Amino acid sequence: MKDEKRLQRRKRLMDNKAYQTMQGLSRYMDRYYLDALIGIIPGWGDAIALICVVPFVYFSSRVIKSIPLTLAVINNALRDILLGMIPFFVGDIIDIFHRANIQNMQMIQGFVDGDEAVIRQVNQRAWQSVAVLIILLLLIALMIWALVSFGSYLYSLVASIF
C-alpha cells in the first residue's frame, strides 16, 4: 500500500508540466550546450539562463514543497550565473562543464524518487546554501559592477580616440 502511494505520487509529479519543462531545459541547456552558446551574448545570455531556473524553483518550492531543495536549486543556479559571467569567453567555457540544470534535475529527481541519500544530502546543505546564496548574490553584484565599470572604461577610451 505504501509503495503504491509512492508510485502514484511519483507519476503525478512526473506528469506535471513544470517537471516536463525542467527535463527539456536540462536537455537543451546542458546536454546540447545552449547555456554556453547563449552566454556569448553579454548580459542577456546570463539573464536568459537565470529565467530558465524558474521552473526548477517553482517545482521544488510549490510542488514538492521543500525549502532545503529550493535553496539548493537556487544556490546551484546562482553559482552557474556567477561562473557564466566571467568575461572573455572563460565563463562560457566553464558553462560547458558546469551543468547546473542537470544537477538541479538530479536533486529534484532524487526527491521525486524518495532517494534517501539525495534527500539527506540536500537537508544537510540547507544552512550552507543560505550562506552561499548570500555570498553568491554579493559576488554577482560585484561582477555586474566590474563589468559595467570595464565597459564604461572601454567606452571612454574609444571616445577619447575619436
Side-chain angles (χ1 to χ4, degrees):
M1 186 70 158
K2 191 175 183 181
D3 288 335
E4 186 178 315
K5 281 186 177 183
R6 186 182 325 169
L7 288 174
Q8 286 176 348
R9 179 177 184 265
R10 183 177 188 269
K11 182 178 177 358
R12 183 178 49 81
L13 291 174
M14 291 178 77
D15 287 342
N16 187 296
K17 287 275 191 198
Y19 186 88
Q20 294 167 1
T21 301
M22 292 182 312
Q23 285 183 318
L25 285 170
S26 295
R27 181 174 45 253
Y28 290 108
M29 293 296 281
D30 289 344
R31 288 198 176 102
Y32 298 146
Y33 307 110
L34 190 58
D35 190 15
L37 288 174
I38 64 171
I40 293 172
I41 307 166
W44 287 100
D46 297 316
I48 292 168
L50 189 58
I51 290 170
C52 290
V53 176
V54 171
F56 293 94
V57 173
Y58 169 80
F59 194 82
S60 62
S61 66
R62 297 292 181 199
V63 178
I64 294 180
K65 297 180 181 171
S66 169
I67 292 171
L69 178 62
T70 303
L71 289 172
V73 165
I74 292 170
N75 180 354
N76 227 7
L78 290 177
R79 185 180 303 125
D80 185 52
I81 296 301
L82 179 65
L83 292 172
M85 290 176 75
I86 298 173
F88 306 114
F89 300 106
V90 173
D92 303 319
I93 293 169
I94 291 172
D95 270 340
I96 291 172
F97 301 104
H98 184 262
R99 298 176 171 197
N101 294 307
I102 289 175
Q103 292 170 5
N104 285 339
M105 195 66 206
Q106 289 170 343
M107 283 190 294
I108 288 172
Q109 188 66 47
F111 263 74
V112 169
D113 290 341
D115 184 341
E116 295 295 327
V118 171
I119 294 170
R120 189 172 35 256
Q121 177 187 13
V122 170
N123 286 333
Q124 288 172 350
R125 293 184 181 177
W127 287 108
Q128 174 193 358
S129 293
V130 171
V132 169
L133 285 173
I134 292 169
I135 291 168
L136 287 174
L137 287 171
L138 291 172
L139 288 172
I140 288 171
L142 181 63
M143 184 68 80
I144 290 170
W145 173 81
L147 291 172
V148 168
S149 298
F150 183 69
S152 297
Y153 170 74
L154 284 179
Y155 177 78
S156 64
L157 185 66
V158 170
S160 69
I161 294 172
F162 298 106

